[in-house]
Amino acid sequence: MHLLVCGGTGCRASASDMLYENLKKEIQEQGLQDEVQVITTGCFGFCEKGPIVKVIPDNTFYVSVEPRDASEIVAEHVIKGRRVERLLYIDPVNKKQIADSKGMGFYKKQIRIALRNCGLIDPENIDEYLAADGYEAMGRVLSEITPEEAIQEMIDSGLRGRGGGGFPTGLKWQIASKVPGDQKYVVCNADEGDPGAFMDRSILEGDPHSVLEAMVINGYCIGATKGLIYIRAEYPLAISRLKIAIDQAREYGLLGKDIVGSGFDFDVEIRYGAGAFVCGEETALIHSMEGERGEPTFKPPFPAQSGYLGKPTNVNNVETLANVPVIYNKGASWFAGIGTEKSTGTKVFALAGKINNVGLIEVPMGITLREVIFEIGGGIKDGKKFRAVQTGGPSGGCLTEKHLDTPIDFDNLLAVGSMMGSGGMIVMDEDDCMVSVAKFYLDFTVEESCGKCSPCRIGNKRLFELLEKITRGQADKEDLDNLRNLSMVIRDTSLCGLGQTSPNPVLSTMDNFMEEYIAHVEEQRCPAGSCKDLIRYEIIPENCVGCTACARNCPVNCIAGERKQLHTIDQSLCIKCGACLEKCKFNAVAII
Amino acid sequence: MTSIKLKLKESEVQQLKEAASSFNNEPGELINVLHKAQEIFGYLPAEVQEVVAQEMNVSVAKVYGVVTFYSFFTMLPKGRYPISICTGTACYVRGAEKVLEEFKRILKVPVGETTPDGKFSITCLRCVGACGLAPVVMVGDKTYGRVTTDGVKDILKEYEDAE
């Protein structure tokens, strides 16, 4: 029997490491250490209900497990074979308990390729990766086929870069392989900067060897002997697991000189990012690795021609690489059979926001947003109404009700004004103001713009100011025209992907939620009731019972009223924090 | 940058020099050396940048350019209990802004600064990847999930009691 305990960042934040220790201790005290193994795994994806414990072989899926639950799990489940019912997952729709993870709506529609080992193996133990067919693809590619054949397989699979651009991976490898060079480099882009996306981190934490294996194959294909992993310094757990994986792979002769007796040398080094969103752009990333400011440069020359230290370089994203070993193991045609014609395979999405099942999911391309949000995601939190879903992070757009049945793939998302991006998917409900959401993303872009080209540096700042004017109710119709025109200019004239896509949140919300912009401008009204300058909190006399809860919780003491008397809010002092609304049990506070 | 020179501890400067030479004083390793320097000194004041520039054989302007480019590097000292509020999108839509306001209100310092007693500093960060727990606050290495405005004073109290 195996007890798998999630050791991802999310679950660790809820004390899963202590839970692991407790389970281990209990098992030892019962003298069961030979029969029952307690294993820390990578992320199960179901972060909403962490920490997760899964029992193998019966697939029991325990949610929200606390360290003190360890003794009960061991005493009841392990020893007596009875499931601990109170820790089982309850379906948010039909309120039924579900014991087996296979029966959960969250997992039903998922196909896990890039995440195949996350939550299944111990990421700090190379033997477990080897037992899961690990390094088999690498062994076969290195000893049985030529680089040309290996590249062809990648082209046939139709795999496209999962970092955002969607460039065909095989083609990228082919270009680099044909450029002559004494030294070439393979770079893994693990600088996940999209706020709200955490798939790369989860893969590195849960299955670091799959990325290393793919890098060796990539190196063999293009003739590179050096690999570099550029990772955010903010991901300490991923870094430490990666270091362990590199050491183990070297020890087993799977990295280093003459790998598996093939005569091919390849080794990997880690480089640390220091927090700059623009470094997701490959030329910026390369400059950062060279110790410079991470500013992008014009392409061509492409990194495949002249990259790190001026040498031919392939930059691939973590999720892209995690797909690679499986493609060689199961064949290009198998992979191409999943997904849609032009976007093959699966995509990992970080599902977050106002949704019941927050977490990491992997679904076949072509699935609809409706299936993702309402079946896998379990619908909107607190029974509220769906308003929008934001895909593609700061470079993407907000999609609405009418896009729910659009099959998700690279091209379809672009066609409706958003993009795949790295796979962030933030769901918003009726309380979210779309103008404020656009402003939130622009605030991010303004901060993260590297400042090299003026459209992005100055233009985005002006966009932000216009949005601020709108959310304050001080804008007129001309400002709306300016907002759109300036967005177009920034899109068309910026140097790199960051600037070219930064107006997307503005343009997509203008396209899909124009009525909200108009309400802000013409009526000085925020329909979602979230723009502070356009709302006020009022006490409804009929409902107020004078319980004093609002007055006691008001941080600026602007609510007056005696016990059992009607209370009133002094609007001149109110900071609109909403504490009174949260505290009132009688629905006597309203946003006007 | 201030005109008053900060006196760096000789032992720490020595540590930094060793770190730089462990990277062969190679200008291409500047970011790695700055990571080490921040580990040693806690932040990167002008005086530390000068030592780095000298060791790496690059101009101080270049070091300053790199330090100010990346959000991970800071030129201001952090508090003994550095508070980071995640303002990634998932946390934003689940109320991170209100939590941030509450920290600012109670501690009476703006983002990026430290309380006069040197105890707490407030910074914002973009996504720690614990979106299932949004909104998320980190104090040092400890992560707090599903933080509410009410929960803010409880978090602070934990550290006030610790001293």
Side-chain angles (χ1 to χ4, degrees), chain B residues 30-38 44 52 63 66-67 73:
Chain B
L30 180 57
I31 291 173
N32 282 333
V33 173
L34 287 171
H35 273 294
K36 285 278 172 210
Q38 188 157 301
L44 299 170
V52 171
V63 176
V66 171
V67 167
F73 297 134

Side-chain angles (χ1 to χ4, degrees), chain B residues 15-79:
Chain B
Q15 248 180 297
L16 173 57
K17 286 183 176 172
E18 279 162 23
S21 74
S22 76
F23 288 105
N24 299 323
N25 304 70
E26 183 69 50
E29 304 279 1
L30 180 57
I31 291 173
N32 282 333
V33 173
L34 287 171
H35 273 294
K36 285 278 172 210
Q38 188 157 301
E39 253 171 53
I40 298 167
F41 294 94
Y43 68 119
L44 299 170
E47 291 77 6
V48 170
Q49 294 180 36
E50 282 169 17
V51 179
V52 171
Q54 209 169 15
E55 290 302 303
M56 308 300 285
N57 206 14
V58 293
S59 70
V60 182
K62 174 158 182 185
V63 176
Y64 179 72
V66 171
V67 167
T68 50
F69 187 84
Y70 296 100
S71 62
F72 195 77
F73 297 134
T74 169
M75 288 181 60
L76 291 171
K78 289 204 170 152

Side-chain angles (χ1 to χ4, degrees), chain A residues 48 201 292-293 353-354 583, chain B residues 65 70 93-94 129 146 150:
Chain A
E48 177 73 35
R201 199 211 64 216
E292 306 278 336
R293 288 163 67 95
K354 307 272 184 68
K583 290 295 166 215
Chain B
Y70 296 100
V93 298
R94 283 199 184 178
R146 301 196 176 97
D150 283 346

Side-chain angles (χ1 to χ4, degrees), chain B:
Chain B
M1 290 189 214
T2 56
S3 53
I4 308 158
K5 275 268 178 190
L6 200 74
K7 189 93 186 79
L8 301 176
K9 265 194 218 147
E10 200 44 53
S11 61
E12 290 179 334
V13 172
Q14 198 49 42
Q15 248 180 297
L16 173 57
K17 286 183 176 172
E18 279 162 23
S21 74
S22 76
F23 288 105
N24 299 323
N25 304 70
E26 183 69 50
E29 304 279 1
L30 180 57
I31 291 173
N32 282 333
V33 173
L34 287 171
H35 273 294
K36 285 278 172 210
Q38 188 157 301
E39 253 171 53
I40 298 167
F41 294 94
Y43 68 119
L44 299 170
E47 291 77 6
V48 170
Q49 294 180 36
E50 282 169 17
V51 179
V52 171
Q54 209 169 15
E55 290 302 303
M56 308 300 285
N57 206 14
V58 293
S59 70
V60 182
K62 174 158 182 185
V63 176
Y64 179 72
V66 171
V67 167
T68 50
F69 187 84
Y70 296 100
S71 62
F72 195 77
F73 297 134
T74 169
M75 288 181 60
L76 291 171
K78 289 204 170 152
R80 287 193 293 286
Y81 305 108
I83 300 167
S84 313
I85 293 116
C86 179
T87 49
T89 323
C91 288
Y92 168 80
V93 298
R94 283 199 184 178
E97 222 171 339
K98 282 188 179 171
V99 172
L100 172 63
E101 289 303 319
E102 187 68 3
F103 273 110
K104 288 197 321 206
R105 194 182 66 79
I106 296 179
L107 296 176
K108 298 187 180 66
V109 284
V111 174
E113 289 188 22
T114 306
T115 51
D117 58 5
K119 206 182 234 174
F120 296 108
S121 55
I122 308 180
T123 47
C124 291
L125 51 79
R126 303 284 190 191
C127 201
V128 289
C131 308
L133 303 173
V136 175
V137 170
M138 289 186 79
V139 182
D141 288 334
K142 191 164 175 195
T143 313
Y144 295 85
R146 301 196 176 97
V147 180
T148 58
T149 42
D150 283 346
V152 169
K153 43 182 186 302
D154 299 333
I155 294 176
L156 291 174
K157 197 168 176 302
E158 239 178 79
Y159 296 89
E160 260 142 27
D161 293 349
E163 293 216 338

Side-chain angles (χ1 to χ4, degrees), chain A residues 429-497:
Chain A
D429 69 11
E430 54 196 290
D431 298 336
D432 291 307
C433 164
M434 289 301 127
V435 185
S436 303
V437 168
K439 191 176 84 174
F440 167 80
Y441 280 110
L442 258 297
D443 181 31
F444 178 86
T445 320
V446 168
E447 208 173 292
E448 293 296 335
S449 170
C450 79
K452 184 168 177 168
C453 72
S454 350
C456 179
R457 182 184 66 242
I458 305 169
N460 282 319
K461 180 91 183 146
R462 294 289 100 83
L463 279 188
F464 177 76
E465 287 164 1
L466 280 171
L467 289 167
E468 210 165 35
K469 214 169 147 190
I470 297 171
T471 54
R472 287 208 179 121
Q474 295 162 345
D476 52 35
K477 277 211 106 163
E478 203 189 326
D479 289 316
L480 289 184
D481 294 336
N482 285 339
L483 192 65
R484 188 179 281 279
N485 290 339
L486 182 56
S487 294
M488 303 288 202
V489 172
I490 296 170
R491 193 178 67 180
D492 296 340
T493 56
S494 291
L495 172 67
C496 81

